[in-house]
Amino acid sequence: MKLPMSKIALIDVDSHNFPNLPLMKFSAYHKTLGDHVEWWNPLETYDIAYVSKVFTFTPDIEYEPRADKIFYGGTGYSLENQLPIDIEYIMPDYSLYPQFSEAYGFLTRGCPRQCKFCIVSEKEGCISKRVANLNEFHTCQRHIKLLDPNLLACNERELLLQHLASSGAWVDFTQGLDIRLLDKDCITLLNKVKTKIVHFAWDNPYEDMIIHVQRFLKHSSIKDFRRRGVYVLTNYNSTHEEDLYRVYTLRQLGFDPYIMVYDKQNAPVLVKQLQRWVNNKCVFMSCPKFEDYDSRKV
């Protein structure tokens, strides 16, 4: 006898500008069981409700959904949350977010860097391990949004880069690539991956990244500086002078800096001004010195 169909509610608390991958997987799983899946309607009653939140600072839903079972997940609630194995490796239900046409997923999890400002090592472990094949979340999409925290730290990185290149899709390494781990062979493979822009990071002001940047410049086929981006972490463990040094150095070397602000809600005005100057590329290119931008109060 066929079991009655369950009614499932999905609640995306904060990822409105970015699809929620766990919810897409829960949706796919329940649809394989013949269940009815929909976005939460506060007026309806459900058998199961899944509430997912990414950021701890995001306001929670105002009231609890009416459901027999309610599951709260995501780093916004706890770092201990893990998807069940049969759901972790299911093809996401991309129909949930018709406004997005890209494929989303992880090839690897974990990072050995253990940066104090980052939750990845605590949540996923200090070793970068391959956790999926590309065809587990990519079908025929022209674009891939790769969510890996440190793909290059994985011992299968060359094989994974080959798979990405063979896909023929445009790849966005959304979390950036660890330029310290890019040797000549990896850069050669990266040249074969279709990318509109490649992002790196210069988080630690006390770490000299110039030798790594120069190695990338020597072997990379990317010649347009606007396609060579570098995240610059501020308001964490650096002075304003150290922030400016990284920005000026990157621009001089032919890289496009992008300011990331730690704890932006409580950041000083000077840090926010620096972010506006650097990240507004029209202003950044027309006003070479931050001192001039600051004095004009643009």
Side-chain angles (χ1 to χ4, degrees):
M1 178 182 296
K2 186 176 181 179
L3 294 175
M5 180 176 64
S6 296
K7 190 175 180 180
I8 311 299
L10 305 178
I11 305 174
D12 183 350
V13 177
D14 55 6
S15 299
H16 308 301
N17 296 319
F18 202 87
N20 187 295
L21 186 57
L23 290 183
M24 287 196 287
K25 293 187 176 185
F26 278 120
S27 176
Y29 172 75
H30 279 283
K31 286 182 178 180
T32 64
L33 300 179
D35 295 335
H36 174 75
V37 181
E38 65 178 44
W39 291 114
W40 174 51
N41 182 340
L43 302 179
E44 297 287 337
T45 300
Y46 298 90
D47 296 293
I48 303 175
Y50 293 100
V51 187
S52 182
K53 185 168 73 165
V54 178
F55 304 107
T56 56
F57 55 79
T58 301
D60 211 342
I61 54 177
E62 293 184 9
Y63 46 90
E64 191 172 87
R66 293 185 292 181
D68 294 337
K69 295 180 181 179
I70 305 174
F71 296 97
Y72 293 87
T75 53
Y77 290 118
S78 172
L79 298 184
E80 302 299 323
N81 291 318
Q82 298 284 342
L83 290 179
I85 295 298
D86 53 348
I87 296 178
E88 176 67 48
Y89 295 103
I90 199 169
M91 177 69 71
D93 178 10
Y94 290 112
S95 68
L96 274 185
Y97 295 91
Q99 69 271 39
F100 299 105
S101 59
E102 305 89 352
Y104 293 81
F106 293 84
L107 290 174
T108 65
R109 295 273 195 173
C111 178
R113 296 298 181 185
Q114 302 184 60
C115 300
K116 299 299 183 182
F117 56 83
C118 180
I119 65 172
V120 169
S121 295
E122 180 181 357
K123 182 176 185 290
E124 301 180 2
C126 300
I127 299 175
S128 177
K129 296 181 179 180
R130 180 180 178 180
V131 296
N133 295 317
L134 185 59
N135 61 9
E136 291 180 34
F137 60 88
H138 174 250
T139 54
C140 58
Q141 296 96 329
R142 295 181 58 198
H143 295 82
I144 297 171
K145 293 279 189 179
L146 204 62
L147 309 178
D148 299 43
N150 197 335
L151 180 144
L152 295 179
C154 177
N155 59 10
E156 297 182 72
R157 60 185 186 171
E158 294 187 5
L159 179 62
L160 297 178
L161 288 174
Q162 289 172 355
H163 289 173
L164 290 169
S166 299
S167 73
W170 291 93
V171 179
D172 180 2
F173 298 93
T174 62
Q175 304 305 303
L177 291 170
D178 192 338
I179 197 171
R180 295 162 291 188
L181 300 175
L182 272 177
D183 56 23
K184 180 181 177 181
D185 292 338
C186 279
I187 296 173
T188 300
L189 286 172
L190 187 60
N191 288 337
K192 299 177 182 180
V193 179
K194 293 171 65 175
T195 57
K196 293 184 177 179
I197 184 171
V198 176
H199 277 107
F200 306 109
W202 192 349
D203 296 322
N204 186 350
Y206 307 107
E207 185 172 10
D208 188 357
M209 300 291 288
I210 294 178
I211 186 173
H212 307 296
V213 167
Q214 291 175 332
R215 180 174 60 248
F216 179 78
L217 286 174
K218 180 179 179 180
H219 300 291
S220 175
S221 61
I222 299 176
K223 303 305 179 186
D224 186 347
F225 81 95
R226 291 170 297 183
R227 296 181 56 212
R228 301 190 296 248
V230 180
Y231 298 126
V232 177
L233 181 67
T234 61
N235 195 43
Y236 181 74
N237 190 28
S238 62
T239 65
H240 179 63
E241 291 72 24
E242 289 166 339
D243 295 341
L244 282 177
Y245 169 76
R246 285 178 288 165
V247 168
Y248 289 149
T249 300
L250 288 168
R251 184 168 62 182
Q252 182 180 7
L253 290 170
F255 283 75
D256 190 13
Y258 188 90
I259 296 295
M260 304 292 287
V261 181
Y262 181 81
D263 189 18
K264 187 174 182 179
Q265 290 80 6
N266 300 306
V269 173
L270 189 62
V271 171
K272 295 179 180 179
Q273 287 180 335
L274 179 66
Q275 183 186 43
R276 287 195 294 268
W277 172 61
V278 173
N279 295 359
N280 185 330
K281 297 307 174 183
C282 291
V283 175
F284 185 61
M285 298 304 295
S286 63
C287 180
K289 293 290 185 180
F290 174 73
E291 294 80 2
D292 296 333
Y293 168 84
D294 185 37
S295 63
R296 290 185 297 166
K297 304 296 181 184
V298 177

